[in-house]
Every structure is written in C-alpha cells, then in structure tokens.
Amino acid sequence: MSDANDGTKKKNQNILIGFILILAVAGITVGAVLGTRGRNKDPDPVDEVTPDEDTAAATSTSWPTPYDPQPTLSSSDGKLEISLHLGVTGDNFNSTPNFVSERGGFEGNVLGYSGCFSSGERCEDVNIIMGGPTLRVKPGDDLIVHLYNDMPEEKCKTTENIGFWNDFHQPMNTNLHVHGLLVTNAENNILQTIYPGTSQTYNIKIREVQQGGTHWYHPHAEGAVGLQAGGGAIGLLIVEDLEGDIPTEIASLPEIGMRIQHTEWKYQNEKYAVDYVKKCKVVCSSSEEAKAVCGCNDPETECIEPVFGVPAYKGNYSESLTVNGAENPAFDLVAGQWYHLRTVYVPTYKVPIEPTIEGCDFKLLSKDGRYIPVAPRDIQAGYMFSGSRADFLVRCNALGSYSFESIDIVPRPHNWAVAKSGTDEIHNGAYGQKLNAWTGIMATFNVIEPPAGSMGPELDVIRPFRVARPCYAPEMRNLTVGDGFFFLQGSLVPPYIEGEGETHPVFREYTSDWSFNGNDFYAINDFEAEVNETAFPGRLRPPKGSPVCDDKITNEFGECYGPPPPGQDFYFNIGDIVEIDYYAPQIHPLHPHVFGFQITQLPKFSVMTDYFQVGDYHDTLIVPIEGDGDETEAEAPEYGRVVFRQHIYKLSTDIVVHCHFYRHSDRGMVALGTTNGTEGLSNSQVEGTCYHGLSGREFEYE
C-alpha cells in the first residue's frame, strides 16, 4: 500500500480502469470525477424512455419515480434493438455499517453497462455506471443486443487452452447470458467470448410461450464470471405479462426494480487477482510456445497487471451492499398503495440475503421469473443467493420511513458435508458452505401521502390467483417420468448407507483428496479431471450398476440414469419429463441453463418453509437446511436431497449446468449436456393443461 500511497495523482487516476483495487488514497476523488452515488448524495436523474401505450400502468395516478440511474429500454413493434457497452468505472461507497476500513468511506471500482437504442452502432454517449439498463420485452418479441467490449486488453493473454482452463482467466473477455429465458444456448452462447475492442450481435427470440417474469442478463465468460457479474455488470430483463395473464389489479401496480449486489473487494483482491497472477506467471513462463501464445515478453512483470491494467495486491477489507448502484437509496411510496418489487440479487461470492420489511404487508408473487402455484403468498422473509430473483408485493399503510432490510434467521448448519482432513476417516469433522446472511438496511421506503389530485390507492385485499402454466413449465407432480438423472457438486458421489440402502443421503466417499485449491473440489458428479476444448474438466460418470431399465445405467438402488453421449456430460431427450435427484442441495447452488425446474420433493428444514414449497419453480436453487449443531460428527441425517422435474421442451440445444457460486464455476464446477431427438416435441401428458403460445393464458382466481 505504501507504494500506491506515494504515487502521483496521475498514476493513481489509472486506477479508474481497474476493478479489484480499493482506493483508500487521500486526495484522489474518483467519485467526484465520475459522479458519486453514495448514501448522502442526491440521486442521479433517471433516463426516461417512453413505453408503448399498451404497457403503461392502468392507473390515473402519477406515482413517484423509483431511484435508478440506469435507463429502462422497452420494446416497440415487436422488437427491442440496443447497443450495450461493458466497461469499468470508479465509484464511492461511504455507508459505515457496510464495510471495515480505517476511513469513513472508500472508493472502489466496479463494472457496468451503458446502453441505448441502436441499429448496431456504438452509443453516442457512453457512460459506464454500475449495473445495466432494464430491458422490457413481450412474448413474441425479437431482442437484438449489440454488445461492445470496452475493456482494456490483457498484457499476457490468458485466453488460449495452454493451462488456464478451470481456473481464473480471460478477465477482459466477455459475452452475454440472458438468465431465465427459454432460449437456446446458441442464442447466448457462453462458450464464445468477445475480446476487448470488439463487438458481437446477439439475436434472441422471446418465445410466444414465454411467461411474464423477472429475469436478468450478465457476462458469462468462464473464468471471469465472478469478476464481471460479481463486480457490477448485471441488468434486469423483464418479460411483460400479456393482458389476462394475471389479474388487472396486479398488472397495474406501480413497479420498483432492484438490482441488489453485495460486492467484496477483499475477495476480488485476495482470491481472484492473486490466484490469477500466480497462474498467469506459471503458465506463460512454462515454455517458449506458451510465452508466444500469451503474447507477452516478460510474464514475471507483465502478469503483475492482470485486471484492467492495475497491479493486484491485498487491500483493506471492504464490502458494500448496493441497490441500483447506491447504498441504502430512498424510495417514495404512497401510503396504502401496493407495490410490485422486482428484485435480483448478485453477490461477488456466496453471501445470501433474507429480505423483509417490518411494519408493512409483505407477500411473495414469483421466484426466478416463474409465478408460484397460488399467488401471492404471505412470507416472513425471502432467501436469496447468487442469481436469485424474487417478486414481492409490498404495502405500507402508515406514513413514515420503513427499512427494506436483510435479516438472518437461517441457522448456519452443520453435517452438510464431511471433510477428510488428510485422513481416511470420513466422520471426523463437518463442513458447511452457508455463510451468515448479510444483515442491514438495503433501502429505505419513505411512505408519503397520495399525490395531490389523485384518487389514491383503490386496492385493499389481493385475491389469490393461479396463472395458466406455459408448457415449458407445466404442473408435473402427477406426470409419468420418462428419464432420470442426478447432480451432486463438489467431488462427492451419490450416497449409500451400509445395510440400509438409500434411506437418506450421506456422504460416503471421495474420489480424491479433498482440495480447495485444485480442480478435484470444483467438480460435478465425480468428474474425471481432464481438460478439454470446452474448458470443462471432464465428463460425468453415471452411478455404477447393471445395464437394466431399458438399457440405461442404474445405480445400486435401481434408479435409472442415462449414460452420457460422446463429447457431452449428459443428454436429455426432447419432449421427456426428466426427474433429477439434486444431492447436497444445501452446499452449492445449482443452475441448469435453458429449462427451469419444478420442485417435487424437499428435505427437512424448519425455516423458510413459507418461501420454499413443493410445486414451486426455480432455475437456481440452494435450500436452508440446518444440522443438529454437532460440529464434530456427521451422522446420517434425514435430509440431503431435493427432487425436481424438468420438461425438456421443444428446443435442440446445449445445456450448461454449473454451481452458481461464481468462484466455483470459474474454476470448473460446470457440466455440459445437450438435448437429443426431434426439435419441436412436447410431452403429450401436458397437452390441455398448459399453453404453447399467445392464447390460453388466462389466470383463474383461487
């Protein structure tokens, strides 16, 4: 730190193009140059984009505009075409409860997007700020995104397959993933990256069958997701409900969009940057061929500047929780008025939040862009982790200020997994991944009188309702299953209890020594560690057993799992109802791309039972299982598996499945599958129970 403090201001200004470096340097005010958005600053003006008339709220009241310095870009005439610029900026964070620092505030660097309507050209006024524009589309629309990578180039290129796969690499490369939409991998191919100074156009079709919901977009370049998405580059992607999809009284509610992010500069400094520098030096110095591929003359010195041209070092521990790029922003709410909160939560690593608001009505409407079976549902609090979305309904009746906060009621569990600790004994200790939830005020709701001349709130009681189900997300609990598989992350294998069969899962063996620094830990379904050109560590081994169940591999308990095809880790047949055993769902969040899933069986837990229920849909999941409090021994618990089902609906596509802790997926906890069969097939059992297009979508009151 002393070298940085003694440098000139000119040198320090280069830090603006850095991401990982915390600026605690007196006399340098990045925020003053780029516009601070701290707690005590006035909100930046919101870019106003006029929506189509048919998307305007069906109300005569002019509601207060929610705080968000990013614009909202809405589709028109069946199309939304935009340019997005990904870049880096400095920002100011000064909310004392949110960090540990010697000073009363600090300046750090974040990633963000700048966006505009376009026909492919660069935006005229590129203003990179944390987050990204909110995109609003309708079922049947075309979404065209021209993505420009405005990041600086690496001095030592860590993009080629010379030893960087399954570790942090390519921090300057990027791409686009539309998380939650029913789209093929080819439409947002995460296996392709955009180099600095170049651009790529994404043509994404919003299927007519797409249900209205809250989704999001972010970079997904393997090896750099934690750095980029975990550092601020995220945006809401909202599919609007069609008329009749949900009750008018819900559709017409004023909305508040929230990009909630917990940023950890300590993690970026000490975990990503330091590991990246070490790897870069080793690989790029390993041979003359490697040095030529890396394209740098002296890896020992040029790898010191790994991320956005800024040297990696261990800075002060600093963290911040922001909503729409600001710490504890204020939102004006009208007393007695219901509001629709659309939220996405993205931490740098794995700190969860448990959002709630005391003194106000608080209900759950949907999760991960899918309406719950009967909506809305009364809840005490939500449980959100990396990539979670939740739509809440909020009403505060009395004037005053209310805290939209995160609490911590989920216990830190034990008996999740057992660490070997260098011995052959399994039951010599327990290990759990769940961190305590971030606690504190995320945003403040100032409840005010209705605007002058308005009629004021008219909705008192919200009637429960059921939406019609899209056929890609039908009601599947009573359907016949056509195929089965399992997912288990972290170098563990499916369980077996001697003499008892599979009564309940326990962790019976490891395939290799437990390691947090090697690729053995960063695995799914007992990977055989090997590097391949897709950057994934190997292929899945189905459970051992006899080839029965119609020539499919079975495990010791007669459960059928299909063998992986050549070059893939798994495959599912188009049109099948697939049942997945998701083991150890309390350790790592699982996210399968393309197809969401319906929960059909949950393990035991005593908290958040109002938030997690059988029948709910998710596309990313970790559940709050607690143990018995004994940290010294792991006995066979009566929990440890979620069972869910997917309808492999119509699409011929690759399927990426990965841990949604970005540190883990960046280092190889990823599997690659595909769909087989005739494109366009749907399971015959769902016919008459769901809709395939723009008709048959009408809701029903409960």
Side-chain angles (χ1 to χ4, degrees):
M1 286 295 291
S2 60
D3 292 342
N5 287 334
D6 293 338
T8 63
K9 287 187 178 182
K10 181 177 180 181
K11 179 179 179 180
N12 282 326
Q13 285 173 345
N14 291 334
I15 225 155
L16 293 178
I17 61 169
F19 169 74
I20 58 167
L21 194 54
I22 301 169
L23 297 181
V25 184
I28 302 172
T29 310
V30 179
V33 177
L34 298 175
T36 58
R37 296 186 301 281
R39 168 181 289 190
N40 299 319
K41 301 295 180 180
D42 293 331
D44 293 341
V46 176
D47 291 345
E48 296 183 359
V49 180
T50 303
D52 295 339
E53 291 182 1
D54 60 351
T55 65
T59 176
S60 60
T61 301
S62 178
W63 305 111
T65 301
Y67 169 80
D68 191 352
Q70 286 280 9
T72 294
L73 306 176
S74 298
S75 66
S76 178
D77 297 326
K79 184 173 74 170
L80 175 59
E81 186 172 8
I82 63 171
S83 287
L84 281 180
H85 297 259
L86 176 72
V88 187
T89 186
D91 212 338
N92 179 63
F93 303 92
N94 61 3
S95 179
T96 303
N98 291 351
F99 63 89
V100 179
S101 177
E102 296 176 357
R103 297 179 173 85
F106 68 91
E107 293 175 4
N109 294 297
V110 295
L111 269 76
Y113 293 101
S114 181
C116 66
F117 294 111
S118 82
S119 297
E121 67 278 3
R122 290 179 58 91
C123 298
E124 293 183 2
D125 183 18
V126 177
N127 179 30
I128 301 294
I129 57 177
M130 190 176 189
T134 294
L135 310 182
R136 298 187 71 102
V137 294
K138 304 179 185 68
D141 280 352
D142 293 312
L143 173 60
I144 305 170
V145 179
H146 308 284
L147 179 59
Y148 288 85
N149 186 348
D150 287 355
M151 310 273 272
E153 292 187 357
E154 286 182 280
K155 289 189 175 181
C156 288
K157 307 296 189 297
T158 62
T159 55
E160 301 297 332
N161 191 3
I162 54 174
F164 289 106
W165 299 125
N166 309 322
D167 217 325
F168 301 136
H169 67 290
Q170 61 172 358
M172 314 303 191
N173 297 343
T174 194
N175 54 24
L176 182 70
H177 174 48
V178 286
H179 183 133
L181 295 183
L182 180 71
V183 297
T184 64
N185 181 71
E187 293 170 81
N188 62 148
N189 192 344
I190 70 164
L191 305 181
Q192 297 177 351
T193 55
I194 308 170
Y195 288 75
T198 65
S199 65
Q200 182 169 319
T201 296
Y202 293 85
N203 293 285
I204 299 167
K205 182 64 178 179
I206 312 300
R207 269 66 179 177
E208 290 185 350
V209 71
Q210 184 76 53
Q211 186 182 62
T214 302
H215 307 287
W216 64 300
Y217 63 90
H218 63 90
H220 209 307
E222 291 303 314
V225 185
L227 182 73
Q228 296 183 11
I234 69 169
L236 285 167
L237 201 172
I238 297 170
V239 178
E240 297 180 352
D241 294 287
L242 299 181
E243 184 177 356
D245 283 3
I246 60 175
T248 302
E249 61 268 25
I250 303 297
S252 62
L253 293 179
E255 295 184 3
I256 298 176
M258 290 185 170
R259 302 180 306 276
I260 307 172
Q261 297 189 260
H262 179 261
T263 308
E264 295 183 80
W265 282 269
K266 178 182 175 69
Y267 167 82
Q268 300 290 7
N269 287 340
E270 298 183 5
K271 300 298 183 184
Y272 190 101
V274 172
D275 289 351
Y276 168 89
V277 171
K278 291 178 181 178
K279 189 78 171 184
C280 178
K281 289 180 179 180
V282 170
V283 173
C284 290
S285 300
S286 61
S287 66
E288 290 301 318
E289 179 185 3
K291 186 182 293 186
V293 173
C294 290
C296 49
N297 296 321
D298 184 7
E300 187 64 30
T301 59
E302 292 176 280
C303 282
I304 294 176
E305 300 182 350
V307 184
F308 317 132
V310 177
Y313 76 103
K314 295 183 178 180
N316 292 332
Y317 181 84
S318 296
E319 61 178 295
S320 182
L321 189 132
T322 58
V323 175
N324 296 346
E327 292 177 302
N328 188 16
F331 296 84
D332 288 339
L333 275 61
V334 171
Q337 172 63 44
W338 284 100
Y339 285 82
H340 180 179
L341 270 59
R342 296 183 182 268
T343 68
V344 59
Y345 175 60
V346 183
T348 301
Y349 190 14
K350 58 182 182 180
V351 175
I353 59 171
E354 299 171 22
T356 190
I357 179 167
E358 187 175 353
C360 300
D361 297 316
F362 191 60
K363 298 176 181 288
L364 177 66
L365 188 64
S366 69
K367 293 181 291 184
D368 289 354
R370 285 90 171 167
Y371 286 102
I372 58 177
V374 178
R377 180 191 299 163
D378 290 327
I379 59 171
Q380 178 185 2
Y383 186 69
M384 301 179 72
F385 43 91
S386 182
S388 295
R389 286 96 67 216
D391 286 37
F392 303 111
L393 299 182
V394 174
R395 178 180 64 177
C396 303
N397 290 314
L399 302 181
S401 293
Y402 298 82
S403 296
F404 184 52
E405 61 182 331
S406 174
I407 59 178
D408 188 11
I409 61 176
V410 174
R412 186 183 177 97
H414 309 296
N415 294 356
W416 276 12
V418 182
K420 273 192 168 183
S421 301
T423 73
D424 292 331
E425 295 295 326
I426 292 179
H427 299 296
N428 70 336
Y431 175 75
Q433 288 274 338
K434 193 266 179 185
L435 296 182
N436 294 331
W438 185 91
T439 57
I441 300 172
M442 299 186 293
T444 297
F445 293 160
N446 295 321
V447 179
I448 61 176
E449 295 280 4
S454 73
M455 298 177 60
E458 298 180 356
L459 179 63
D460 184 18
V461 177
I462 296 180
R463 294 177 60 185
F465 64 95
R466 292 179 181 267
V467 296
R469 305 304 313 186
C471 286
Y472 67 86
E475 172 56 64
M476 293 184 285
R477 282 175 282 181
N478 295 320
L479 301 186
T480 300
V481 172
D483 198 1
F485 203 65
F486 80 97
F487 287 113
L488 176 56
Q489 304 177 101
S491 287
L492 302 171
V493 295
Y496 177 75
I497 302 176
E498 189 68 36
E500 298 182 18
E502 192 186 28
T503 305
H504 296 289
V506 294
F507 307 95
R508 62 182 166 97
E509 66 175 288
Y510 294 85
T511 59
S512 57
D513 289 337
W514 188 279
S515 171
F516 293 98
N517 297 316
N519 289 329
D520 291 333
F521 171 73
Y522 301 103
I524 296 180
N525 290 28
D526 187 14
F527 272 116
E528 296 175 337
E530 63 178 69
V531 176
N532 59 43
E533 61 185 11
T534 62
F536 302 131
R539 66 181 89 279
L540 298 167
R541 288 203 305 242
K544 298 176 182 178
S546 302
V548 294
C549 292
D550 298 327
D551 296 324
K552 296 175 182 177
I553 301 296
T554 64
N555 65 7
E556 295 94 329
F557 315 108
E559 297 172 328
C560 299
Y561 297 96
Q568 300 287 338
D569 299 324
F570 63 91
Y571 73 89
F572 298 137
N573 292 319
I574 299 173
D576 268 359
I577 304 295
V578 178
E579 185 168 89
I580 308 291
D581 291 333
Y582 169 27
Y583 290 104
Q586 63 275 47
I587 300 180
H588 304 277
L590 183 74
H591 172 48
H593 288 202
V594 186
F595 304 105
F597 52 84
Q598 185 180 34
I599 296 173
T600 59
Q601 179 181 317
L602 282 169
K604 282 183 168 181
F605 49 87
S606 61
V607 293
M608 296 291 176
T609 56
D610 53 358
Y611 192 75
F612 294 102
Q613 294 187 5
V614 169
D616 291 353
Y617 263 87
H618 290 258
D619 62 31
T620 307
L621 185 64
I622 192 170
V623 292
I625 298 172
E626 70 271 21
D628 59 12
D630 185 354
E631 299 184 30
T632 63
E633 184 177 1
E635 298 178 354
E638 294 184 356
Y639 47 72
R641 178 177 66 171
V642 169
V643 181
F644 63 76
R645 293 181 178 182
Q646 293 182 296
H647 182 196
I648 310 304
Y649 182 74
K650 290 191 175 184
L651 301 184
S652 178
T653 179
D654 288 334
I655 305 172
V656 177
V657 177
H658 63 94
C659 175
H660 225 255
F661 290 149
Y662 302 128
R663 174 177 172 82
H664 297 173
S665 61
D666 278 340
R667 303 188 73 175
M669 198 175 285
V670 184
L672 180 63
T674 189
T675 61
N676 283 351
T678 303
E679 187 172 17
L681 287 182
S682 174
N683 193 280
S684 60
Q685 297 178 87
V686 307
E687 296 303 322
T689 69
C690 55
Y691 60 83
H692 290 285
L694 300 179
S695 61
R697 305 168 64 112
E698 293 76 15
F699 76 94
E700 293 181 352
Y701 283 113
E702 182 70 0

